[in-house]
Amino acid sequence: MSGFSEWTPQLIQDEIDALKHKPGALLPILHAIQNRFGYIPSEAVAIIAESLQQTRAEVHGVISFYHHFRTSAPGSHTVQICRAEACQSMGARSLEAHAKEKLGVDYHQTTSDREITLEAVYCLGNCSCAPSVRIGDRIHGRVTPEKFDKLVDTLTTRALEVK
Amino acid sequence: MSTKIFVPCDTTALAMGADEVAARIEATASARGAEIELVRNGSRGLFWLEPMVEVETPAGRIAFGPVEEDDVEALFDAGLLDGETGHPLCQGLTEEIPFLKKQQRLTFARAGITDPLSIDDYRAHDGFKGLENALKLDAQAIVDEVKASGLRGRGGAAFPTGIKWQTVLDAPAEQKYIVCNADEGDSGTFADRLVMECDPYMLIEGMTIAGLAVGATQGYIYLRSEYPVAHRIFDEAIARAEAAGYLGDDILGSGKRFDLEVRLGAGAYICGEETSLLESLEGKRGLVRAKPPLPAIVGLFGKPTVVNNVLSLAAVPFILDKGGQAYADYGMGRSRGTLPMQLAGNVKRGGLIELAFGASLRELMEDFGGGTFSDRPLRAVQVGGPLGAYLPESQWDLPLDYESFAAVGAVLGHGGVVMFDDTVDMAEQARFSMEFCTVESCGKCTPCRIGSTRGVEVIDRIRAGENREANLELLTDLCETMLDGSLCAMGGMTPFPVQSAMKHFSDDFKR
């Protein structure tokens, strides 16, 4: 469901080689790796550093600076809840509490069945129809706790084939 | 004859179910043997009506909203395709909806009317006329036109755009860059997103004109990763503009070159600060640079660089088409032209409101917004994003212009207005401002990095009733240190919401 591939050093090298000619290539490379494998494996740091003629410290520093980049595998779905002011004014604080209780995890954690990773986000630009939640590349507006449950249940419910 | 039906495709319409509504409309039309042409237009920015379905009629487009999937059958039964207006979701002629009719749309003139990716639509609505004019002018004449418009940077700092361009034009260099700041991180703002999703060619045109004006051949749009829809639409628009000869090595046969590329941010609010953005584009941590040197002299990869907000660049095609004076005819004082305000949070009718400078906040929140979504009394409003002050009712009659806001220690910023009802706890909001700064500080300067952490702790003590008076004094002092001692606006403006909450809502700190 998550659609991520298993990484190998060669596949990581392929992603780097496709982009390293670009000026300021490091962020595009990190995005490409995360898009394909779901996260940036620690082993990738040395490969990137070598390819870009940078130090591993520099590469690690960039990865750790940006909230978007993750260094461990996420669940099948990443659910982001907006914590910013427009959503706060429409009940985002109680939605956050509800979501953590429903999923049994805190931010940056993944449910024990590896289905859902919960993340915080600061603004999805859907501020007139708050509160907002992002699942994958899909954004949802006016998310009440009931709507949240429905969204999450759809993610984790597998259709059974009746023969 | 087929009937044209419009279902918007911007983030908010999609978030409210526009794809499902569009699919149901097609299925219903097909089941009933009705011929329709379904257009996925941009949004008009009337977000409380999204998904807002429009039907073309001889009298003009008629709007229905907010439409849910399950309303579609009933809408067809009520004569949707025949221009019937009896259904309860009918809003009448779109152009006559007061929220839209009362606006002065220059930058957003096309938004929601056209198919965002159709170059023919764009051209049919004055698109690329500014670029055609610019190609006939020399660089200095383009810069002069922008100066005459009085346009000031719409990202928040309000620096005169023409002067910035002049500096880059005058800087001798082999390579120069145009960088568009589309890292729209302020809560309550979505105007940049709307430009990129609903009228992307306008930004492409504005950046190309900027390139011609200063002698830059490469442009980058630094887009936040939180905007997947804008990313998809804008990338496609660049590809189509290249194919049609509006970008590339021979723009419209002029022999002039300009290339564009979208670069994705990675969830760092600080990268909306221009020097941090440049570091990020160079593939580094988004640490703020000390200024001077200005990016106009030493910018991206050390070269002279124009860094402009999406809205600043999006205003340029109008200015080069209709003339700088036509733009300057709108506005008040030193704030010329229009400002796209964004009404958000606890509001009944939220959305995009483009008006000439000078309207009051109250008009915006009451006449346009219709009060709070919760129907409870409005208590506080934060203007200008997470670094903007919270304004109490006594300040709601301020005219929306840069100088009037600055006079009371507030900012217009990028035009975001977030409304809160009377259930808000302003001490909790003040705490969040400091907390946000701890999460998003780049860490380069101490007042911001450490000050925000101490700020959260002190506010926690105040809210717990620990040595309240002494801690309030300490917080006041800390705010001044951050304000005076920080390298950039992150640490330097985080105190604005905190101080305004303490000043205007002091009771909330004593509960």
Side-chain angles (χ1 to χ4, degrees):
Chain A
M1 181 64 213
S2 64
F4 296 127
S5 320
E6 285 289 323
W7 71 273
T8 66
Q10 186 55 51
L11 290 176
I12 284 177
Q13 190 68 56
D14 292 347
E15 295 295 333
I16 297 168
D17 291 345
L19 292 164
K20 70 177 183 192
H21 64 280
K22 283 179 183 279
L26 184 50
L27 260 73
I29 287 171
L30 294 174
H31 274 297
I33 291 174
Q34 181 159 310
N35 282 345
R36 184 152 175 198
F37 309 111
Y39 68 109
I40 298 161
S42 55
E43 293 85 345
V45 173
I47 309 174
I48 298 168
E50 173 89 358
S51 305
L52 297 185
Q53 292 178 304
Q54 291 187 351
T55 64
R56 277 183 278 176
E58 280 172 311
V59 176
H60 173 76
V62 170
I63 294 170
S64 60
F65 182 86
Y66 296 95
H67 302 306
H68 178 81
F69 297 127
R70 56 171 73 252
T71 49
S72 60
S76 304
H77 308 275
T78 298
V79 173
Q80 292 181 310
I81 300 182
C82 178
R83 290 196 71 211
E85 289 88 342
C87 287
Q88 290 167 8
S89 78
M90 289 294 288
R93 285 192 179 95
S94 57
L95 179 65
E96 288 179 74
H98 172 84
K100 290 178 185 175
E101 198 192 320
K102 159 101 182 160
L103 299 175
V105 293
D106 205 338
Y107 285 129
H108 317 305
Q109 293 179 351
T110 301
T111 53
S112 53
D113 59 4
R114 302 293 305 162
E115 282 288 342
I116 293 173
T117 299
L118 188 66
E119 294 287 351
V121 66
Y122 296 91
C123 198
L124 295 163
N126 185 41
C127 317
S128 298
C129 295
S132 305
V133 164
R134 175 176 175 179
I135 302 174
D137 271 352
R138 178 86 200 254
I139 289 154
H140 302 269
R142 297 252 186 263
V143 182
T144 55
E146 298 72 43
K147 190 168 171 184
F148 183 86
D149 288 352
K150 250 164 93 181
L151 288 169
V152 167
D153 291 342
T154 333
L155 292 181
T156 49
T157 308
R158 297 241 166 76
L160 285 176
E161 225 174 290
V162 182
K163 292 203 172 152
Chain B
M1 201 195 95
S2 76
T3 310
K4 237 182 185 176
I5 298 194
F6 299 84
V7 181
C9 65
D10 90 300
T11 294
T12 290
L14 297 178
M16 301 307 287
D19 277 348
E20 290 76 8
V21 169
R24 188 69 76 89
I25 287 174
E26 286 199 306
T28 307
S30 145
R32 296 185 181 206
E35 269 187 56
I36 61 163
E37 184 193 342
L38 188 74
V39 179
R40 299 305 299 268
N41 58 326
S43 172
R44 306 256 191 172
L46 280 56
F47 285 147
W48 80 100
L49 294 176
E50 292 294 359
M52 187 175 93
V53 174
E54 291 179 88
V55 180
E56 194 166 74
T57 76
R61 277 154 70 163
I62 295 175
F64 297 82
V67 176
E68 288 183 27
E69 219 183 328
D70 292 338
D71 294 322
V72 171
E73 289 282 341
L75 282 168
F76 272 75
D77 290 343
L80 177 76
L81 303 184
D82 309 315
E84 294 291 336
T85 55
H87 193 280
L89 291 180
C90 182
Q91 305 292 329
L93 288 168
T94 313
E95 305 280 347
E96 295 298 318
I97 297 173
F99 188 97
L100 188 59
K101 195 176 183 184
K102 285 187 290 184
Q103 299 192 32
Q104 291 148 309
R105 289 199 166 184
L106 307 182
T107 300
F108 286 89
R110 277 174 297 266
I113 294 175
T114 54
D115 168 351
L117 286 170
S118 162
I119 289 185
D120 288 343
D121 269 13
Y122 185 63
R123 291 200 61 97
H125 292 84
D126 292 340
F128 292 121
K129 284 189 180 165
L131 176 61
E132 281 161 10
N133 286 342
L135 284 168
K136 292 177 215 145
L137 299 173
D138 68 18
Q140 186 60 53
I142 301 174
V143 173
D144 288 343
E145 208 57 54
V146 173
K147 278 187 191 162
S149 74
L151 177 65
R152 291 164 72 184
R154 296 289 188 254
F159 187 83
T161 306
I163 295 180
K164 191 183 275 184
W165 287 20
Q166 185 72 59
T167 310
V168 178
L169 172 61
D170 293 341
E174 286 287 304
Q175 177 72 58
K176 301 177 187 180
Y177 295 102
I178 308 296
V179 171
C180 173
N181 184 344
D183 195 47
E184 186 175 48
D186 289 358
S187 174
T189 66
F190 40 76
D192 296 349
R193 170 178 76 67
L194 272 179
V195 165
M196 296 185 70
E197 292 175 353
C198 304
D199 205 7
Y201 297 117
M202 173 171 58
L203 180 56
I204 291 174
E205 184 181 355
M207 290 186 74
T208 309
I209 294 170
L212 296 172
V214 303
T217 53
Q218 177 68 48
Y220 290 103
I221 294 114
Y222 187 87
L223 175 66
R224 61 202 301 264
S225 57
E226 292 86 344
Y227 282 180
V229 179
H231 187 205
R232 173 171 52 76
I233 293 178
F234 203 80
D235 263 352
E236 175 65 22
I238 289 179
R240 292 194 191 189
E242 272 170 7
Y246 291 101
L247 287 173
D249 53 13
D250 186 20
I251 301 164
L252 293 180
S254 65
K256 292 185 174 152
R257 172 180 198 102
F258 192 69
D259 293 305
L260 265 186
E261 185 184 336
V262 174
R263 285 290 176 91
L264 222 46
Y269 177 78
I270 191 61
C271 290
E273 197 281 335
E274 62 177 0
T275 61
S276 162
L277 186 157
L278 294 175
E279 290 285 306
S280 184
L281 267 179
E282 292 181 8
K284 303 174 189 160
R285 293 163 70 91
L287 293 185
V288 170
R289 295 178 185 170
K291 288 192 277 193
L294 295 170
I297 313 277
V298 183
L300 184 62
F301 303 114
K303 304 295 182 199
T305 303
V306 168
V307 186
N308 277 151
N309 174 253
V310 172
L311 294 180
S312 316
L313 290 161
V316 168
F318 176 94
I319 292 165
L320 266 292
D321 174 20
K322 307 283 198 290
Q325 189 56 47
Y327 191 79
D329 285 344
Y330 293 87
M332 65 177 280
R334 288 176 52 224
S335 300
R336 308 313 309 177
T338 57
L339 181 64
M341 298 295 295
Q342 300 126 80
L343 200 52
N346 197 328
V347 58
K348 197 162 281 167
R349 295 189 297 260
L352 181 101
I353 303 165
E354 183 176 357
L355 286 174
F357 287 93
S360 78
L361 203 50
R362 195 185 291 276
E363 278 175 74
L364 218 61
M365 299 191 294
E366 291 176 1
D367 299 353
F368 285 91
T372 59
F373 184 84
S374 57
D375 275 325
R376 300 184 62 95
L378 181 64
R379 180 151 186 252
V381 50
Q382 188 178 30
V383 182
L387 309 178
Y390 283 100
L391 308 181
E393 179 160 15
S394 61
Q395 294 179 334
W396 296 347
D397 292 307
L398 276 178
L400 297 166
D401 107 293
Y402 297 121
E403 277 68 30
S404 307
F405 266 62
V408 300
V411 292
L412 273 183
H414 186 51
V417 177
V418 177
M419 292 162 56
F420 291 79
D421 72 12
D422 63 347
T423 59
V424 67
D425 174 349
M426 294 305 294
E428 190 175 29
Q429 294 310 117
R431 184 193 191 278
F432 177 79
S433 299
M434 286 292 189
E435 184 195 354
F436 184 68
C437 188
T438 65
V439 177
E440 299 296 343
S441 171
C442 82
K444 184 158 178 168
C445 72
T446 314
C448 179
R449 182 184 71 246
I450 304 294
S452 55
T453 304
R454 296 290 97 88
V456 171
E457 293 165 0
V458 175
I459 295 174
D460 280 345
R461 279 186 218 120
I462 292 167
R463 294 181 73 207
E466 246 175 80
N467 286 334
R468 188 170 276 149
E469 289 310 313
N471 276 315
L472 277 167
E473 206 175 307
L474 189 60
L475 182 58
T476 305
D477 197 47
L478 175 66
C479 282
E480 277 163 21
T481 303
M482 289 176 70
L483 227 149
D484 294 333
S486 299
L487 198 52
C488 82
M490 181 84 225
M493 287 171 63
T494 289
F496 286 179
V498 179
Q499 290 171 319
S500 59
M502 288 167 75
K503 182 173 174 191
H504 303 298
F505 304 93
S506 56
D507 288 351
D508 289 16
F509 291 78
K510 292 171 186 156
R511 306 205 254 226

